[in-house]
Amino acid sequence: MNRSVSRRRSTVLALGTLVALPFQAGDLEIDAAYTLIGQASDDDRLTESTTGSADLFLAWEPGAGRLEAYIEANTSLRGSGVATRLPRSNADAGTALDADRSGRVQLSELKYSRTWAESFALTVGLLDPTVYLDATRIDNDENVQFLGASFVNNPTVEFPDYTLGAVSRIPMLDGRGRLTLLLAGSNGLADNPERSYSELLNVTDSTKGVFAAIETAVTTRAAAVKAGLWIHSADHTTLDGSRDNAHNRGIYATVGKRWGQWGSNIRAGAANREVSLADLFMSVSLQREAGRRTFGIAAARSRISPRSPLSLPSGSSHMEAYVRFDLTGSLQLTPSIQYLVNGAYDMTGTALDDDVWVASLRLHHVFLPRKR
């Protein structure tokens, strides 16, 4: 059932306000937050947009295991707003939508985890693969770090949306390293036409497959190096239209370094050029903490597959700079500026200008539970 925009926004704010209280009853933990983002662009075909989201995390530890749930809400994406027409500029928008692109409240994750001998960990259920793979310290969270999608996850990795799966983490190198194995459905909640849970549970559909990945990581207090392989076995139509049953696959890596108040990260990836429009990617990001302020700057470049028959540019560039002000222990205000070249993969200028500037202002309010 569709709701008005005003009521959807009220729902988001109500969820973020009513449940966003430090609360803990027994082994139950509750965290909640909301994010409001305003955006404007120099392209007059893009109108100013305001988006909102709310997040509710629940965790319960029955015995030796841990049961977690994640409920999120989004406002709708309508019209010609920046977040609608240029989604790469706002990774927080549109993560919880129905088939009509109307905002909704949805159960995004429901998973059970258990650790044996304080080492081998296994998680099963409805989960987000990006939580376990391609994670970095300074460019991985659109709520408090970079807002642009190019700096949240590697765009050449075809991650499914919230999907049914299992992930295990195995320590190695005397605790300095970790091996992550993930097996999940290829089609997550938002990857299906109706964005419904019945489609999510229909794992026997012949057009679906699996998403499988393996990642190795070596992490210290000052540095982190990760590399992974993945495959997405659902049927893909090749870019030249010659086949409709090809698979996508690829590799990725991240290298992060911290020294004093500074942090840096390099992210790179490659995907099957036969089916992936962006087949090569690389980004560099830098962050500096200065008291209650945090500065970030990043640049990314994606190559358009040479197999594409469309009249597309050879690549797309994305840059972003932000400064985050910690107003209180739970309230943050972040102005940012982004510059995108062929951000919509359009070189004709008929959809958007070849290069677009986007200014954003983000308010993030998070409530943390009391420590035990």
Side-chain angles (χ1 to χ4, degrees):
M1 179 176 66
N2 292 331
R3 297 168 290 177
S4 66
V5 173
S6 61
R7 184 176 178 185
R8 281 189 292 273
R9 289 179 177 172
S10 298
T11 301
V12 171
L13 294 176
L15 180 62
T17 302
L18 293 178
V19 302
L21 297 173
F23 177 83
Q24 186 169 313
D27 289 331
L28 179 65
E29 301 171 10
I30 300 179
D31 305 338
Y34 61 83
T35 304
L36 300 175
I37 301 170
Q39 292 186 288
S41 170
D42 66 333
D43 190 326
D44 56 13
R45 286 168 289 190
L46 297 175
T47 59
E48 296 179 1
S49 65
T50 301
T51 60
S53 66
D55 304 291
L56 173 63
F57 299 89
L58 305 172
W60 179 46
E61 296 186 357
R66 182 177 176 87
L67 182 64
E68 296 175 278
Y70 170 42
I71 300 170
E72 66 175 322
N74 263 158
T75 53
S76 301
L77 292 180
R78 299 295 191 192
S80 57
V82 176
T84 304
R85 297 280 303 279
L86 196 58
R88 292 176 64 195
S89 71
N90 189 337
D92 184 61
T95 59
L97 301 176
D98 61 19
D100 298 323
R101 296 183 65 79
S102 297
R104 67 177 179 182
V105 178
Q106 72 178 32
L107 175 64
S108 295
E109 291 188 83
L110 182 62
K111 56 191 179 182
Y112 178 79
S113 303
R114 184 167 180 179
T115 301
W116 287 267
E118 298 183 356
S119 55
F120 175 77
L122 177 66
T123 301
V124 296
L126 177 61
L127 51 82
D128 177 7
T130 65
V131 171
Y132 307 97
L133 304 170
D134 187 46
T136 70
R137 289 171 171 168
I138 68 171
D139 51 356
N140 210 81
D141 188 345
E142 65 274 17
N143 294 129
V144 296
Q145 297 170 341
F146 295 97
L147 183 60
S150 300
F151 312 112
V152 178
N153 288 111
N154 194 318
T156 59
V157 183
E158 192 180 354
F159 287 113
D161 195 52
Y162 303 108
T163 184
L164 298 174
V167 57
S168 63
R169 288 182 162 181
I170 306 168
M172 57 184 188
L173 301 177
D174 295 327
R176 298 191 307 274
R178 183 179 63 210
L179 180 68
T180 300
L181 304 172
L182 185 143
L183 180 65
S186 65
N187 288 47
L189 189 57
D191 302 318
N192 296 305
E194 298 299 321
R195 296 174 176 254
S196 68
Y197 291 95
S198 60
E199 288 178 306
L200 181 67
L201 295 171
N202 182 13
V203 296
T204 61
D205 191 318
S206 60
T207 63
K208 298 181 179 180
V210 299
F211 176 84
I214 179 172
E215 178 185 280
T216 59
V218 178
T219 304
T220 67
R221 293 185 61 184
V225 178
K226 301 179 181 180
L229 304 170
W230 61 272
I231 184 170
H232 192 295
S233 69
D235 289 343
H236 293 70
T237 300
T238 56
L239 295 175
D240 61 7
S242 61
R243 295 174 55 199
D244 58 6
N245 61 348
H247 296 164
N248 199 3
R249 60 189 179 276
I251 60 175
Y252 65 90
T254 68
V255 179
K257 174 71 175 177
R258 292 186 67 89
W259 64 100
Q261 296 176 319
W262 291 88
S264 64
N265 192 70
I266 298 174
R267 181 184 256 144
N272 182 5
R273 67 179 62 183
E274 302 295 333
V275 300
S276 182
L277 186 58
D279 68 330
L280 293 177
F281 171 80
M282 185 172 182
S283 69
V284 179
S285 57
L286 187 67
Q287 174 189 281
R288 183 179 187 273
E289 298 174 354
R292 302 184 71 172
R293 293 174 296 174
T294 300
F295 302 88
I297 186 169
R301 178 72 176 176
S302 299
R303 189 187 77 166
I304 305 301
S305 171
R307 299 290 190 270
S308 173
L310 304 177
S311 298
L312 294 173
S314 60
S316 174
S317 300
H318 194 172
M319 287 170 274
E320 181 175 358
Y322 74 84
V323 54
R324 184 177 72 240
F325 299 93
D326 295 329
L327 304 180
T328 68
S330 62
L331 183 64
Q332 299 169 326
L333 185 67
T334 308
S336 66
I337 188 74
Q338 297 179 60
Y339 178 62
L340 297 97
V341 179
N342 297 317
Y345 295 139
D346 170 53
M347 67 179 297
T348 65
T350 57
L352 298 175
D353 291 340
D354 289 345
D355 57 328
V356 177
W357 289 91
V358 175
S360 305
L361 184 63
R362 176 181 61 201
L363 177 70
H364 182 64
H365 199 186
V366 60
F367 295 81
L368 301 177
R370 299 188 186 98
K371 294 182 181 293
R372 294 184 178 181

